Each structure stands twice: as C-alpha cells, then as structure tokens.
Amino acid sequence: MTKILAVDTATEACSAALFIDGRIISEKEVAPQGHTRLLLPMTDRLLKEAGLNLRDLDALAAGRGPGSFTGVRIGVSMAQGLAYGAGKPLIGISDLMVMAFQALEETGLNEAVAAIDARMGEVYVGVFRKDPDGFPELLGEERVLAPEIAAAYAGELLSGNQAALTGTGFAAYPRIGEVLNGIPAAENLPWADTLARLALRDYEQGLARAPGEILPVYIRDQVTWKKVAEQELDRQQRRG
C-alpha cells in the first residue's frame, strides 16, 4: 500500500498526516507562532505510531501555499529536508485547493471559492469545481486581489449555482461572501489529512517530483513579499 507523509503550515494551522494502508492518521493544532516547534514532533509521533521510518514512505507532500510568507516557507523547506534525507520524492499541493476540497465535501456542493486573508488589503483567491471523481479542479488561476475584485473574479468563473465559501478571507472581508451569496463552510483552514488525500491522487498520476522542484507559491511578486517578511519580523520582535 502507498505510504505518504503530508505536512502543512501555510496558515495559522499546523498539521501533519500519514496515509497508510488506506487510512489516515493525523495531528493538528492552530498555532500561528508554533509551526517550527510543533511540526517535526508531529511527524515523529505519526511515524512511530505506524511503526515506520522515513525510508519506508513512498513520498512526502507539503502545502505549497499561498498563505503566510513564513508559514509556507517553513512547511515546504521542512518537507524538502525530510524528503532529501530519505531519498524520496515530494508533492506540492495548493492550500487553496485543500480548503476547497474540504468545503466541497462538507457542503455537498459542486463549486467552491477559497480565500485566504493576504493582509495589505488583499486576499488569495481560487475558484474550484468538483471533477467527475469528486476532487476540486481549479478554474482560472489562483490570484491575489483586492476584496471587491476577488468577488467579481470569482463570480465570473462560477456557474451561477451556489458555491461553498471557505477561508479566512471571508472573515476579514465579509463583503466577498455577501456578493457571492454562497454557503460558508465551517472549516476555514487547510489540514494535512485532506492534503494527504490530494497527494495520493497526484502520486498515483505520477506527479511526485524531486524535492528541489517543489517550491513555495507566494503569488505576490518578490518586492511585495520582502515588505511582508519585514512586517512579520517587526511584529515578532515587538512581541519579544
């Protein structure tokens, strides 16, 4: 049976999951400042519970973003390090897609809009439709947009039927949800157990790659992300 270890730290959520023998075991915690401290112990406990080591895996997977600049970097870099050390391939999964998959399954709807608060008056947004196998398929592109533009962009891609709405972008900018008139999902963060299921599909389709080929997806240009990194560093320093 395929064995995949998945990790995600792109948002406030920190989680790890192990797909093994057709089942998933996972650990998760909402800890905006705790990703570096929590992630490796999570993976160690999961592997010990399953009686495995990294070399027993077929592949690893990571949430590649978009999301927090620091969070995305932590998750991808840790997954790369583990994959390199074990000599295993890596799979990168969109965090917007993870959230959309959760929302589609929760609501039973055929379309979903995922939006993550990108700060600086913008959201990361992706629009998805359920494919024949029940997995989310991206419509258009993942983008970073001002809230009112994000609502218009999503509206153009949707079929006109009600869509599931998921992500911190809707809490930060409620007007997006009002314009789209969709059904809010209860879960607004991406989790590694869902990511592992998407990674299994990609692995079976031959999409696993050398660890160095899986890169963080920030969407914003590097100049903007430098400003975000500086702001996050300043916040951390003020907190002491």
Side-chain angles (χ1 to χ4, degrees), residues 19-187:
F19 180 93
I20 176 174
D21 297 332
R23 65 189 179 97
I24 296 176
I25 56 176
S26 66
E27 288 197 19
K28 57 182 68 175
E29 185 172 337
V30 177
Q33 305 298 324
H35 299 94
T36 303
R37 172 177 54 85
L38 294 170
L39 188 58
L40 285 178
M42 284 182 174
T43 62
D44 286 343
R45 286 191 294 268
L46 291 175
L47 290 169
K48 287 179 181 177
E49 180 179 343
L52 300 174
N53 60 53
L54 287 171
R55 294 190 179 277
D56 295 322
L57 300 173
D58 293 290
L60 289 88
R64 59 166 178 75
S68 157
F69 177 83
T70 302
V72 173
R73 185 177 58 193
I74 289 171
V76 173
S77 62
M78 282 194 176
Q80 285 176 328
L82 294 174
Y84 273 125
K88 300 297 178 179
L90 183 60
I91 301 163
I93 301 291
S94 160
D95 280 275
L96 291 172
M97 179 174 285
V98 172
M99 294 161 56
F101 195 16
Q102 294 169 172
L104 290 172
E105 292 199 317
E106 177 192 325
T107 63
L109 298 173
N110 291 318
E111 295 176 326
V113 180
I116 296 174
D117 183 7
R119 313 298 181 186
M120 301 171 67
E122 294 178 316
V123 295
Y124 302 114
V125 62
V127 182
F128 299 84
R129 181 173 296 146
K130 190 182 295 184
D131 72 11
D133 295 319
F135 289 101
E137 178 182 12
L138 178 65
L139 305 178
E141 301 175 343
E142 294 182 348
R143 294 188 176 182
V144 57
L145 300 168
E148 62 275 10
I149 300 176
Y153 175 69
E156 291 175 357
L157 292 172
L158 294 170
S159 65
N161 297 319
Q162 275 197 313
L165 309 179
T166 178
T168 57
F170 291 100
Y173 304 101
R175 182 59 181 161
I176 305 175
E178 294 170 2
V179 170
L180 294 176
N181 192 31
I183 297 179
E187 184 54 73

